[in-house]
């Protein structure tokens, strides 16, 4: 099935003219200081304020995963990551919500063309949801009745579309397709954002502004075509038609936080005077060596992320598949993201200690970054299950979580 023809009306508004990578990145960098100023408000609100959502939308960030077929800018994974990194430099929660909200472009590779037309009339629509199959979908004429309770729905309060995982039933019994290798099938189900009921239970140590609350649905009708799985692309082969594609840019969040913390620490060091020593704080051997060590660790982590993505994109854009990567190369992408999270937490913690009482007040960005990286370490790209899964893959065993490796 050839689906290279652009979706009709996907970009019929002149204001939606495709933006290139350089322009979206420029807008993201321009927005970063605004987000930094709004960070206390974002955190206190426990979800992104509505006007901040629209400021993000205006950068073009939510279209970064879309191809020309759906009115998007056709960005590489590296370009997408750089844009998320720029937004996270301004605010951690905004960066995370931008990365999650932009996953719609990747998902269009797994939807039938009619569903893409119906669900994504604009590439700037925001997608959110929990992929874990925590719901129940009963087969009915023309589609499904979806009910369930899903955790960690980052951005569901401001999402245009919500996708949620659920197991399928028919007449109350577990159902699987005739050619399915599974005894009980699960799929992803798309509904309008207005169809979900958020639960006000997101009150956390950090990343408060992501609004990653639980949400529920009860007996919501989902048309047959508004379903998908990440292991059945509905387009011609392309670098984004892989199950890991929607996750590739998320390491931009810890990278953006770490860069912001390093720049803040340098600014403090060069403007602070040590009265007891009678010299600038930046003349201290301890300050100099710790800043340099943290900078080196950040540089290595950043190159790990971009280097692994670069190799992956090189193979995929040449018409290859993830199977054409070596085992080590394939595992490098999720491992680099995990490492970026761990480096962010470690570097921020050390800089927090280095700045001492300049860090401890709630209005200090170091306080917020310390808490944000602690929570980021518990999430989907920073959890030890990534180590377990990639380790199993490297040892020839079945990974516990396969989607980050693009495995069926």
């Amino acid at each position: 099935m050839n689906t290279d023809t652009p979706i009709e009306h996907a970009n019929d508004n002149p204001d939606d003219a495709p933006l290139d990578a350089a322009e979206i990145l420029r807008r993201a960098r321009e927005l970063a200081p605004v987000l930094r100023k709004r960070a206390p408000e974002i955190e206190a609100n426990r979800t992104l304020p509505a006007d901040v959502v629209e400021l993000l939308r205006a950068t073009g960030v939510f279209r970064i995963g879309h191809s020309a077929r759906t009115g998007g800018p056709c960005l590489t994974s590296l370009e997408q990551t750089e844009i998320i990194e720029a937004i996270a430099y301004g605010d951690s929660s905004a960066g995370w919500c931008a990365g999650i909200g932009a996953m719609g472009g990747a998902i269009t590779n797994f939807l039938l063309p009619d569903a893409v037309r119906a669900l994504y009339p604009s590439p700037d629509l925001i997608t959110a949801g929990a992929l874990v199959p925590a719901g129940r979908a009963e087969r009915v004429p023309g589609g499904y009745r979806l009910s369930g309770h899903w955790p960690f729905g980052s951005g569901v309060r401001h999402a245009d579309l919500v996708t949620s995982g659920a197991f399928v039933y028919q007449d109350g019994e577990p159902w699987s397709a005739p050619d399915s290798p599974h005894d009980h099938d699960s799929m992803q189900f798309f509904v309008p954002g207005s169809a979900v009921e958020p639960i006000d239970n997101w009150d956390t140590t950090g990343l408060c502004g992501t609004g990653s609350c639980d949400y529920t649905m009860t007996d919501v009708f989902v048309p047959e075509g508004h379903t998908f799985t990440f292991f059945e692309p509905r387009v011609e082969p392309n670098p984004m038609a892989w199950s890991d594609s929607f996750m590739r840019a998320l390491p931009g969040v810890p990278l953006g936080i770490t860069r912001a913390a390093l720049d803040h620490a340098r600014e403090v060091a060069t403007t602070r005077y040590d009265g007891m020593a009678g010299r600038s704080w930046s003349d201290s051997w301890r300050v100099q060596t710790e800043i340099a060590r943290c900078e080196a660790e950040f540089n290595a982590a950043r190159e790990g992320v971009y280097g692994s993505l670069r190799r992956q994109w090189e193979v995929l854009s040449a018409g290859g598949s993830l199977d054409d990567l070596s085992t080590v190369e394939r595992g490098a992408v999720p491992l680099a993201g995990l490492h970026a999270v761990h480096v962010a937490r470690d570097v921020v913690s050390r800089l927090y200690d280095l700045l001492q009482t300049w860090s401890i007040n709630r209005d200090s960005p170091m306080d917020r970054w310390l808490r944000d990286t602690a929570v980021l370490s518990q999430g989907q790209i920073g959890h030890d299950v990534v180590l377990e899964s990639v380790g199993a893959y490297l040892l020839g065993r079945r990974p516990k979580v396969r989607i980050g490796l693009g495995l069926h």
Side-chain angles (χ1 to χ4, degrees), residues 22-39:
E23 176 60 16
I24 299 174
L25 181 59
R26 184 193 68 78
R27 294 183 184 190
R29 287 174 172 166
E30 189 175 79
L31 182 60
V34 177
L35 295 172
R36 184 74 59 83
K37 290 180 181 178
R38 300 285 299 273

Side-chain angles (χ1 to χ4, degrees), residues 45-125:
N45 199 48
R46 292 191 292 119
T47 190
L48 297 186
D51 69 312
V52 171
V53 173
E54 295 312 313
L55 289 172
L56 287 170
R57 199 192 303 267
T59 67
V61 66
F62 297 121
R63 62 171 59 196
I64 60 176
H66 281 271
S67 67
R69 181 179 57 90
T70 53
C74 304
L75 304 192
T76 67
S77 296
L78 290 83
E79 291 167 332
Q80 295 177 46
T81 305
E82 193 173 16
I83 290 164
I84 299 303
E85 183 180 8
I87 292 172
Y89 183 87
D91 180 71
S92 314
S93 292
W96 183 258
C97 285
I100 295 296
M103 68 179 175
I107 290 174
T108 60
N109 290 284
F110 304 92
L111 290 166
L112 292 169
D114 286 347
V116 177
R117 291 186 180 92
L119 292 167
Y120 287 99
S122 165
D124 292 315
L125 295 182

Side-chain angles (χ1 to χ4, degrees), residues 258-272 281-282 287 290-291 294 347-348 350-352 354-355 359 365-366 369:
T258 313
R259 180 71 270 162
L262 280 162
D263 288 352
H264 174 74
R266 288 171 58 201
E267 181 181 3
V268 172
T270 54
T271 57
R272 179 177 174 184
W281 202 56
S282 61
V287 173
E290 188 66 350
I291 291 286
C294 290
V347 167
V348 167
R350 286 156 55 191
L351 293 177
Y352 181 97
L354 182 68
L355 299 187
S359 300
M366 288 304 308
W369 291 323

Side-chain angles (χ1 to χ4, degrees), residues 130-140 143-151 163-175 184-191 215-222 227:
L131 305 182
V132 60
R136 179 187 181 106
E138 185 74 25
R139 285 171 59 84
V140 296
Y144 304 83
R145 290 288 177 182
L146 180 63
S147 300
H149 181 143
W150 290 264
T163 180
S164 307
F167 283 102
V168 183
Y169 291 80
Q170 183 168 306
D171 299 325
E173 298 295 327
W175 180 88
H184 193 184
D185 279 356
S186 66
M187 293 189 293
Q188 297 295 315
F189 297 83
F190 259 114
V191 302
Y215 64 95
T216 65
M217 282 181 273
T218 303
D219 204 29
V220 174
F221 178 73
V222 182
T227 66

Side-chain angles (χ1 to χ4, degrees), residues 148-232:
H149 181 143
W150 290 264
F152 304 116
S154 300
V156 294
R157 292 185 183 275
H158 61 252
D160 300 301
L161 297 164
V162 174
T163 180
S164 307
F167 283 102
V168 183
Y169 291 80
Q170 183 168 306
D171 299 325
E173 298 295 327
W175 180 88
S176 60
D179 58 349
S180 173
H182 308 292
D183 295 331
H184 193 184
D185 279 356
S186 66
M187 293 189 293
Q188 297 295 315
F189 297 83
F190 259 114
V191 302
S194 58
V196 310
E197 294 289 338
I199 299 173
D200 188 18
N201 64 348
W202 186 249
D203 191 7
T204 54
T205 303
L207 291 181
C208 301
T210 62
S212 301
C213 61
D214 292 10
Y215 64 95
T216 65
M217 282 181 273
T218 303
D219 204 29
V220 174
F221 178 73
V222 182
E224 179 74 42
H226 293 190
T227 66
F228 70 98
T229 76
F230 279 105
F231 302 108
E232 187 181 0

